[in-house]
Amino acid sequence: MGNQMDKLSHLSYAEVPTVDPNGADAEDAPRLGVSYIFSNDDDDDDHHHHPEDGCAIDGTAKDPNPEEKRYNQRDEVECAVYHRDECIYERGAGRAGREVSSPENLLNKCKAGDLVEFVATAQLPHWAVYVGDFQVVHLHRAEVKNGFLTDAGQGRRCRIVNDLYRWRALAPDMVVQNAMEQVGLKDRGLSWRNSECFAAWCRFGKRELKTGGEIRIGKQPYRLKVALSDKQSHVLEFQSLEDAIMEKRRNDQLGRAAVLQELATHFSSVEEIKSD
């Protein structure tokens, strides 16, 4: 092809409908093409605390103590989110700050206004805003709560993730103010579908991170580019940033090996349909 940069395997959604063209997109409707399903609050937050959710993704019983199962950073999905041609989010290999640590160790590094990501194998990442004095504000179980950093992750390891989103951050005192002013909001009063959208909104103030923050008019200006290898990527298109983040988070939960397997299965089924 002559282009030595990235070879993209691009799924055409003109052929595979993924959303209602009128924008009346049912929250729990399955999206075809890569078989992903969105829920209203995909967090989280404590999958290992819900008694009805005692299974890992593959259906096996979950480890009762998530701390015992080390988080494997090599299984992280490398991806980027674009709005038209602008990269607004990137999680790549070898980026600074990828190392995870215990919440106790992270306290020495945190500054007010920092974004903290809690991670564990086969769980959705949980995000929080550090507001100082060992405290964070986070969206947890459909409520914005204020608590200690060491409690918020419920045994998960964590890291500072200020650099994943490419926007210019607000001043630290404004980030803290944004977070603190939402404490106590719950259920129908919430404007965010998950903890990541909430925490990123506090730091960057972008309305696109809020539910209903963008008008869906049939266009798909957002692209989620998932790295399959050094030279090959898979691209998905979305009407809103919120939808792109939901799919990115689903991939985060699955892990790289499972995402690659899922895409391989999808592409082989597409090839079968074409050959028929």
Side-chain angles (χ1 to χ4, degrees), residues 54-159:
C55 292
I57 290 190
D58 58 4
T60 57
K62 277 192 177 176
D63 186 336
N65 184 353
E67 283 186 290
E68 290 176 3
K69 192 170 184 180
R70 296 284 293 185
Y71 180 71
N72 183 4
Q73 291 174 236
R74 287 177 296 183
D75 196 38
E76 288 182 353
V77 178
E78 295 175 26
C79 66
V81 178
Y82 293 84
H83 180 250
R84 297 189 174 92
D85 294 326
E86 180 190 4
C87 181
I88 57 177
Y89 171 101
E90 184 176 22
R91 188 192 292 277
R95 285 179 69 82
R98 281 182 88 213
E99 304 77 20
V100 296
S101 65
S102 68
E104 291 78 10
N105 288 340
L106 200 71
L107 280 174
N108 301 324
K109 304 175 184 176
C110 279
K111 299 185 294 292
D114 282 348
L115 298 184
V116 177
E117 179 187 45
F118 297 93
V119 292
T121 302
Q123 291 184 28
L124 288 156
H126 184 65
W127 286 49
V129 181
Y130 186 74
V131 294
D133 297 325
F134 313 117
Q135 305 265 319
V136 294
V137 172
H138 58 131
L139 175 57
H140 170 75
R141 283 188 169 178
E143 182 178 353
V144 178
K145 299 178 180 177
N146 184 199
F148 287 108
L149 171 68
T150 47
D151 297 332
Q154 300 177 325
R156 284 176 272 195
R157 297 175 72 75
C158 56
R159 59 189 161 196

Side-chain angles (χ1 to χ4, degrees), residues 212-245:
E214 294 178 282
I215 299 172
R216 299 169 185 247
I217 52 175
K219 296 179 181 178
Q220 294 179 311
Y222 291 95
R223 290 178 293 131
L224 172 61
K225 180 177 164 184
V226 180
L228 306 179
S229 65
D230 289 342
K231 295 184 178 179
Q232 200 170 32
S233 301
H234 176 59
V235 176
L236 296 166
E237 295 179 338
F238 298 89
Q239 284 186 316
S240 70
L241 177 59
E242 185 182 56
D243 285 351
I245 290 173

Side-chain angles (χ1 to χ4, degrees), residues 13 27 42 80 88-89 114 124 126 189 208 212 244 248-249 262-263:
Y13 282 154
E27 282 180 352
D42 74 333
I88 57 177
Y89 171 101
D114 282 348
L124 288 156
H126 184 65
E208 301 96 295
K248 177 188 71 67
R249 289 171 58 75
E262 182 180 270
L263 288 173

